[in-house]
């Protein structure tokens, strides 16, 4: 069967880079396609403290720099272009790029990742970039000496609230329940930090501001009460949404939120099509998981290419 590549990996975050590393070492004719710079959501993270081997922690930027250097050492071919469309069901799969190119391959690993979820309240859209942010690493330094808010109670919200205390005088965490979802060590650090306050059982109703940016957040509590919180910035860190716009969702099995369903071998419902990282339907989104899934997906693809595994399909 003729195709430009044996394998195309879509997305250059930790999952895609890990798959690329295994493919390059397996001498599989592979292309990794990435629309921006490699890295994905890790680049939104200031500090990674739970990646094994980095005993003192590592910045998101440095971790990606090292992962990229690692695939480069084994000569992985990369192309920087946006995928506009995919044709997946047949034995030869086609990847359409925004530069007009059309590439064919025999197997594909989807590593398109996820992006921060939006709150969907009044003022959020209009004030994005003017006080409303989804990335503490990118925008934290703008809030030196100011009072800001963080929405959410997961790992991202608490880790980034801690990071934001390096700049802001006060960080108020607004959480819709009365306990955090974040891992214990982050909770302990946040509760011990004098610059972090909590508003429990609290939901943002409206974000207000003017030409100078955000100046107030309207908050409603479970018991029916309400308050205004005067802040100049609000970081919305409430989970992730799938980057699935370019995926043929009618051809793939996806969950209710639009994440791709696979089995433990990373096989999707289409033979020769694999998934890894945050775009995969699962409970836990960790860098180590993404990296493990990338390796697993590539090894499954290798078996498929060698004809040792015939059909794919999750459930
Ligand atoms: P998450 O774990 O899904 O937590 C989302 C948080 O936002 C939850 O506290 C949730 O409240 C809240 N929330 C969701 N929708 C909301 C809404 N409409 N209004 C108000 N609050 C809302 O998401 P995440 O913290 O972004 O993390 C994503 C994944 O990355 C997770 O698997 C996480 O473990 C991982 N991660 C890991 C690390 C780390 O290991 N250090 C760091 C960052 C991220 P409820 O609790 O009430 O549901």
């Amino acid at each position: 069967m003729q195709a430009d590549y044996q394998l195309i990996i879509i997305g250059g975050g930790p999952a895609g880079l890990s798959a690329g590393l295994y493919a390059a070492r397996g001498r599989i004719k592979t292309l990794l396609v990435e629309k921006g710079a490699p890295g994905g959501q890790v680049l939104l993270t200031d500090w990674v403290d739970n990646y094994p081997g980095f005993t003192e922690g590592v910045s998101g930027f440095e971790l990606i720099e090292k992962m990229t250097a690692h695939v480069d050492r084994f000569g992985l071919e990369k192309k920087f272009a946006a995928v506009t469309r995919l044709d997946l069901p047949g034995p030869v799969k086609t990847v359409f790029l925004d530069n007009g190119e059309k590439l064919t391959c025999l197997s594909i690993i989807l590593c398109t990742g996820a992006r921060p979820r939006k709150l969907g309240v009044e003022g959020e859209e209009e004030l994005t970039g003017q006080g409303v942010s989804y990335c503490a690493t990118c925008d934290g330094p703008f809030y030196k000496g100011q009072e800001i808010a963080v929405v959410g109670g997961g790992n991202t919200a608490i880790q980034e609230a801690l990071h934001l205390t390096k700049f802001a005088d006060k960080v108020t965490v607004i959480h819709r329940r009365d306990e955090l979802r974040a891992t214990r060590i982050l909770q302990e650090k946040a509760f011990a930090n004098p610059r972090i306050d909590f508003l429990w059982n609290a939901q943002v109703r409206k974000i207000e501001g003017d030409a100078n940016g955000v100046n107030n957040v309207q908050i409603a509590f479970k018991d029916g009460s309400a308050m205004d919180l005067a802040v100049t910035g609000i970081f919305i860190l409430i989970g992730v949404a799938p980057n699935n716009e370019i995926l043929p969702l009618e051809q793939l099995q996806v969950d209710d939120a639009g994440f791709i369903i696979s089995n433990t071998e990373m096989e999707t419902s289409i033979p020769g099509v694999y998934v890894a990282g945050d775009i995969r339907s699962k409970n836990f989104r960790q860098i180590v998981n993404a990296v493990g899934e990338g390796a697993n997906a590539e090894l499954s693809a290798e078996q498929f290419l060698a004809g040792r595994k015939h059909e794919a399909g999750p459930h």
Side-chain angles (χ1 to χ4, degrees):
M1 227 173 317
Q2 286 298 309
D4 299 322
Y5 293 93
Q6 286 177 288
L7 170 66
I8 292 183
I9 299 164
I10 317 270
L17 290 170
S18 171
L21 176 65
Y22 274 69
R25 287 172 52 84
R27 304 281 189 243
I28 302 293
K29 187 167 168 26
T30 303
L31 177 72
L32 183 147
V33 183
E34 163 60 50
K35 73 171 173 352
Q41 290 197 105
V42 179
L43 295 180
L44 306 182
T45 310
D46 175 58
W47 198 249
V48 178
D49 236 351
N50 55 2
Y51 196 82
F54 288 86
T55 50
E56 304 307 316
V58 59
S59 75
F61 181 81
E62 190 188 344
L63 185 58
I64 289 303
E65 216 175 34
K66 285 195 186 305
M67 286 185 185
T68 308
H70 204 166
V71 298
D72 288 346
R73 192 180 132 220
F74 289 101
L76 177 71
E77 185 181 342
K78 301 199 277 317
K79 188 181 273 287
F80 295 98
V83 174
T84 53
R85 191 159 70 83
L86 294 170
D87 186 26
L88 300 179
V92 175
K93 289 116 185 26
T94 311
V95 177
F96 298 85
L97 302 180
D98 62 347
N99 60 13
E101 265 185 286
K102 204 171 102 176
L103 302 167
T104 55
C105 58
L106 304 178
S107 64
I108 280 205
I109 305 179
L110 303 169
C111 307
T112 54
R115 59 175 179 275
R117 193 192 285 161
K118 298 196 168 172
L119 258 182
V121 297
E122 209 183 319
E124 181 180 12
E125 201 79 46
E126 302 86 307
L127 290 161
T128 292
Q130 291 174 281
V132 173
S133 173
Y134 303 87
C135 176
T137 307
C138 320
D139 299 330
F142 297 128
Y143 297 95
K144 209 164 182 356
Q146 300 179 40
E147 298 199 1
I148 60 174
V150 164
V151 188
N155 278 324
T156 306
I158 302 310
Q159 180 169 310
E160 299 309 318
L162 285 160
H163 170 61
L164 287 165
T165 60
K166 290 184 197 160
F167 313 103
D169 277 354
K170 186 173 164 195
V171 178
T172 302
V173 174
I174 303 165
H175 184 38
R176 66 181 178 185
R177 288 187 297 131
D178 62 358
E179 61 176 354
L180 299 175
R181 183 188 286 275
T183 196
R184 285 296 159 141
I185 188 162
L186 290 175
Q187 294 197 28
E188 288 162 13
K189 284 184 184 169
F191 292 142
N193 191 313
R195 290 190 176 198
I196 298 184
D197 270 358
F198 290 87
L199 291 177
W200 302 104
N201 300 312
Q203 294 259 35
V204 173
R205 280 283 163 261
K206 188 177 175 187
I207 302 168
E208 296 173 318
D210 55 26
N212 297 319
V214 167
N215 53 33
N216 187 55
V217 175
Q218 285 185 20
I219 293 167
F221 293 92
K222 238 181 210 160
D223 65 5
S225 61
M227 71 172 276
D228 285 324
L229 184 70
V231 288
T232 49
I234 177 164
F235 289 79
I236 297 167
L237 304 169
I238 58 165
V240 291
N243 290 333
N244 63 11
E245 288 71 13
I246 57 145
L247 304 177
L249 297 180
E250 69 292 349
Q251 296 171 8
L252 284 160
Q253 211 174 319
V254 294
D255 67 18
D256 290 345
F259 293 94
I260 302 169
I261 294 173
S262 68
N263 61 14
T264 52
E265 303 313 320
M266 309 302 133
E267 294 168 334
T268 71
S269 48
I270 303 176
V273 178
Y274 304 87
V275 64
D278 281 5
I279 185 64
R280 181 169 176 255
S281 179
K282 59 182 174 180
N283 269 346
F284 306 115
R285 293 192 163 76
Q286 301 285 313
I287 305 168
V288 284
N289 287 354
V291 164
E293 290 167 13
N296 203 328
E298 196 282 332
L299 293 170
S300 291
E302 273 196 43
Q303 276 201 346
F304 174 81
L305 290 167
R308 277 184 272 130
K309 189 86 195 287
H310 50 287
E311 286 296 292
H315 310 288

